[in-house]
Amino acid sequence: MIKNRILHIFEWNFWGGVQSSTLSLIKELKEYDHYVLQLYRKESTDLKKCFEKNGAVFFVSNGKLREKNLSEINTKIIFLHSINKKYIVDKNGWLKKYKVITLHHYLNDNYLGDLNWFVSKYLYEITPENINNKIIVPPPIYVKPFLNLERPKRKLVIGRIQSKSMLLKGKFPLTFMKLIHKLNHDIFIVGPQNGNADVIPDMMPQYLKEIDIFVIWGETKETWSLVISEANLSGIPVVARRMNDGLTEQLEKSGGGILVDTEEEFIDAINMLINDENKRNEIAEKGKYWCLENTTSKLIRGYL
């Protein structure tokens, strides 16, 4: 049977929230054939293998999206995953032939979609335009791999997972490492700054097995934190800096973590969770329940 096709388009060749959300939609919407176009010119073997392993056709453009990129795909549905409209050539012409869904992970000025998908209320409220054809729904997660993860009885491990997105803008400051090294506990870091492991596509459940308390101290505002949703789904409580952003909105809604304002509060909150198993379990259960109700990729079917 010939399936309808969906084309997913994103910019970069490293694994992050955009790529993870794309893969979740591919895993969820199995009644479609999926094509993935990366605009950034340099191909990543890891990305290509991951998407092809999950049944998608993966290819790379020359940095711009043109109508000829789509000529052989014969799709009617396009997901633009955080694509700024400056990368779309003649966007006001040929793009109207397709059903377009723009999925926003960071602020840009691309509201070309038949449906404009904002991942948080925070992100929508800082948008300079009044967008009518919109939904405000957290980024989708194919939840099955995160449920029922088992962690051994051990001295608690404090951890953080961070992709390469916007690193130079303060997502992973040196202050963070100084703070967590004040704790008398094992540390597991995935990603930059001499971590224990590099971010490899579709490996998040395996990384989260190594973490008992997930912590974030950054200097950037987040539209949402996909990895915090994944941590909560895995039964992990979170301690994070309050930045009055999408991440703050997320934890205030879910109850899956503790928000702090100062470095002292950050250390105190982590130590409290280390010493109080009941509190760890209470916060973890709240976060897991909320994420199961609000972040699963199944929810997006009703909107699409």
Side-chain angles (χ1 to χ4, degrees), residues 68-79:
K68 66 180 182 181
N69 295 127
L70 283 63
S71 59
E72 297 180 3
I73 298 176
N74 192 28
T75 184
K76 294 184 178 180
I77 304 171
I78 299 174
F79 278 81

Side-chain angles (χ1 to χ4, degrees), residues 71-97:
S71 59
E72 297 180 3
I73 298 176
N74 192 28
T75 184
K76 294 184 178 180
I77 304 171
I78 299 174
F79 278 81
L80 296 177
H81 295 263
S82 294
I83 300 296
N84 196 301
K85 66 183 181 184
K86 69 182 180 182
Y87 298 115
I88 305 173
V89 178
D90 297 328
K91 54 189 170 292
N92 295 320
W94 61 269
L95 198 61
K96 293 181 179 179
K97 300 176 185 177

